[in-house]
């Protein structure tokens, strides 16, 4: 049976891009596969967060993951730093990774620009740790967004090299494409992200979301209420595709083209359908927040389960490489 591994960084609060691009897929995949889902706090260190904030972000993310429907009885949910074998395997892998390959990583270049005053070595070897995250569980499928495909290719290259030198040890992991591989931000210009401030928060109250939607760009040619719109190029309409049923999408598209509804009507309908998804998640998160002890227990239990598998792999690696 296939094994799934995926990770999400504890940076900032969850938004619908994370939900559609990662969490929703996790919830589906846990029904079918053995899944390892990690809150990757070691990766988050590359941006040097405040210690208290990092700790809080890990808990909040765990709450968000659970509230979105990841079931700790089915999937192993754990915090990366609780399984030290990730770091250990990352070191071994770093010795089989070529500088030239890391230099080609576009995310490293992007992040270096974003934090020009802190281009640390961790940022550079980030994809090596990511490969270790996956392969410490000998996972063969990895649900990730488009921006992670290059990292997965590097992981496969590391596997080929390792297996070539030390004998068949790891599977070559493949990408499980997300249903929504790239959710655009409210600005319609770049991927939804907290750092760009173009996000719809997963825990947001409906009024807050509507306020943001009101300011969101639509078809630039639709200046007046009577101008016919072009839903196919409208960023706000693209969200309907994720949250509204097919009949609603068709109706909105037709009414937009004929100008029988305005952008505000379209946005209101969207806000309502968004809330149908967001509302129950927000409520579950609120319940979970009231019971921190239970969260810690779930994470500890997940850490123990993950560690048992990670240790087996690391024992094998030690033997293969001569440690
Ligand atoms: N780099 C991934 C991201 O930013 C997060 C991540 C870390 C990950 N380790 C992973 C994803 C292992 C999949 C598998 O989205």
């Amino acid at each position: 049976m296939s094994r799934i591994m995926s990770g999400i960084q504890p940076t900032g609060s969850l938004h619908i891009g994370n939900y559609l691009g990662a969490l929703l897929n996790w919830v589906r995949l846990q029904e079918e596969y053995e899944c390892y889902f990690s809150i990757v706090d070691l990766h988050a260190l590359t941006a040097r967060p405040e210690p208290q904030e990092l700790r809080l972000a890990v808990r909040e993310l765990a709450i968000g993951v659970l509230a979105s429907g990841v079931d700790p009885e089915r999937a192993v949910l754990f915090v990366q730093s609780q399984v030290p074998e990730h770091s250990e395997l990352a070191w071994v892998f770093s010795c089989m990774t070529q500088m030239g390959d890391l230099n080609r990583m576009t995310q490293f270049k992007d992040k270096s620009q974003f934090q020009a005053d802190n281009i640390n070595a961790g940022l550079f070897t980030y994809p090596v740790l990511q490969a270790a995250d996956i392969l410490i569980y000998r996972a063969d499928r990895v649900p990730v967004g488009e921006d992670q495909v290059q990292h997965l290719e590097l992981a496969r290259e590391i596997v080929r090299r390792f297996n070539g030198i030390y004998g068949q040890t790891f599977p070559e992991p493949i990408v499980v494409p997300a249903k929504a591989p790239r959710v655009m931000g409210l600005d319609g210009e770049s991927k939804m992200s907290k750092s760009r401030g173009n996000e719809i928060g997963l825990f947001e109250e409906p009024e807050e979301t509507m306020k943001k939607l009101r300011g969101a760009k639509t078809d630039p040619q639709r200046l007046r209420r009577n101008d016919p719109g072009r839903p196919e190029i409208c960023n706000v309409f693209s969200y309907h595709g994720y949250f509204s049923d097919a009949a609603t999408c068709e109706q909105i598209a037709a009414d937009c083209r004929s100008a029988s509804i305005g952008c505000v009507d379209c946005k209101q309908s969207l806000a309502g359908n968004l809330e149908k998804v967001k509302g129950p998640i927000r409520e579950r998160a609120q319940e979970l927040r009231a019971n921190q002890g239970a969260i810690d227990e779930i994470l500890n239990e997940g850490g123990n389960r993950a560690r048992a598998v990670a240790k087996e792999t690391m024992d094998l690696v030690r033997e293969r490489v001569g440690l």
Side-chain angles (χ1 to χ4, degrees), residues 106-319:
T106 55
Q107 196 164 73
F108 170 68
K109 292 177 203 167
D110 290 348
K111 286 190 177 172
S112 302
Q113 273 185 0
F114 195 75
Q115 52 183 76
D117 55 342
N118 182 20
I119 306 177
N120 57 76
L123 211 53
F124 189 62
T125 58
Y126 179 115
V128 179
L129 179 58
Q130 183 167 350
D133 293 339
I134 299 162
L135 293 155
I136 198 76
Y137 304 104
R138 283 161 282 166
D140 52 3
R141 287 173 197 237
V142 186
V144 279
E146 258 171 19
D147 61 337
Q148 296 299 309
V149 169
Q150 199 186 28
H151 288 171
L152 252 288
E153 271 158 20
L154 182 73
R156 293 162 63 83
E157 175 61 28
I158 293 172
V159 165
R160 282 193 292 271
R161 192 173 290 261
F162 189 104
N163 289 347
I165 301 171
Y166 301 107
Q168 180 61 39
T169 309
F170 296 108
E172 275 185 45
I174 57 166
V175 171
V176 182
K179 272 220 159 171
R182 189 177 150 93
V183 178
M184 294 302 283
L186 283 166
D187 54 6
E189 275 158 27
S190 48
K191 193 181 134 167
M192 188 173 285
S193 80
K194 179 95 180 162
S195 55
R196 288 211 158 77
N198 62 7
E199 84 284 4
I200 297 176
L202 190 58
F203 300 139
E204 241 168 56
E205 295 290 339
E207 302 76 39
E208 171 80 11
T209 300
M210 191 56 215
K211 201 170 120 201
K212 285 186 183 176
L213 283 175
R214 254 186 224 110
K217 284 187 197 122
T218 54
D219 177 358
Q221 279 182 20
R222 195 166 186 203
L223 298 174
R224 268 173 240 105
R225 168 72 176 69
N226 298 339
D227 296 338
R230 298 170 297 170
E232 62 283 358
I233 61 122
C234 175
N235 189 42
V236 169
F237 182 73
S238 75
Y239 299 142
H240 272 287
Y242 302 129
F243 294 99
S244 307
D245 59 35
T248 309
C249 289
E250 251 174 65
Q251 189 65 50
I252 297 262
D255 291 348
C256 170
R257 280 195 194 96
S258 63
S260 29
I261 60 167
C263 291
V264 176
D265 304 311
C266 162
K267 288 172 174 180
Q268 256 153 3
S269 152
L270 172 66
N273 291 336
L274 249 166
E275 184 55 15
K276 281 187 205 144
V277 173
K278 235 153 43 74
I281 294 177
R282 192 172 60 243
E283 276 162 32
R284 275 198 296 276
Q286 210 42 39
E287 285 162 23
L288 289 163
R289 264 186 215 107
N291 196 353
Q292 292 289 351
I295 304 291
D296 291 340
E297 217 169 282
I298 289 169
L299 293 177
N300 285 335
E301 169 70 16
N304 289 338
R305 282 167 72 191
R307 209 166 169 194
V309 180
K311 189 179 175 308
E312 270 176 38
T313 306
M314 207 52 225
D315 285 347
L316 180 64
V317 168
R318 285 169 161 271
E319 189 203 298

Side-chain angles (χ1 to χ4, degrees), residues 7-177:
I8 185 166
Q9 280 205 57
T11 47
S13 44
L14 288 169
H15 52 69
I16 61 164
N18 304 127
Y19 177 72
L20 296 168
L23 302 179
L24 194 55
N25 298 296
W26 291 11
V27 171
R28 290 202 186 107
L29 290 165
Q30 70 181 352
E31 304 292 330
E32 257 185 88
Y33 300 101
E34 185 184 341
C35 292
Y36 293 81
F37 297 136
S38 187
I39 296 172
V40 292
D41 54 348
L42 294 172
H43 279 111
L45 277 188
T46 57
R48 206 188 297 142
E50 288 294 329
Q52 313 90 299
E53 276 172 28
L54 178 56
R55 217 162 275 134
L56 198 76
V58 168
R59 281 171 158 247
E60 264 299 297
L61 182 51
I63 288 168
V65 171
L66 293 165
S68 298
V70 167
D71 176 0
E73 303 282 321
R74 288 174 192 267
V76 182
L77 176 65
F78 67 101
V79 178
Q80 183 188 31
S81 64
Q82 285 190 9
V83 186
E85 285 82 1
H86 287 237
S87 307
E88 198 179 354
L89 183 59
W91 175 258
V92 175
F93 279 176
S94 73
C95 298
M96 7 225 88
T97 309
Q98 301 305 297
M99 295 285 287
D101 288 338
L102 286 175
N103 256 325
R104 275 194 286 281
M105 296 293 123
T106 55
Q107 196 164 73
F108 170 68
K109 292 177 203 167
D110 290 348
K111 286 190 177 172
S112 302
Q113 273 185 0
F114 195 75
Q115 52 183 76
D117 55 342
N118 182 20
I119 306 177
N120 57 76
L123 211 53
F124 189 62
T125 58
Y126 179 115
V128 179
L129 179 58
Q130 183 167 350
D133 293 339
I134 299 162
L135 293 155
I136 198 76
Y137 304 104
R138 283 161 282 166
D140 52 3
R141 287 173 197 237
V142 186
V144 279
E146 258 171 19
D147 61 337
Q148 296 299 309
V149 169
Q150 199 186 28
H151 288 171
L152 252 288
E153 271 158 20
L154 182 73
R156 293 162 63 83
E157 175 61 28
I158 293 172
V159 165
R160 282 193 292 271
R161 192 173 290 261
F162 189 104
N163 289 347
I165 301 171
Y166 301 107
Q168 180 61 39
T169 309
F170 296 108
E172 275 185 45
I174 57 166
V175 171
V176 182

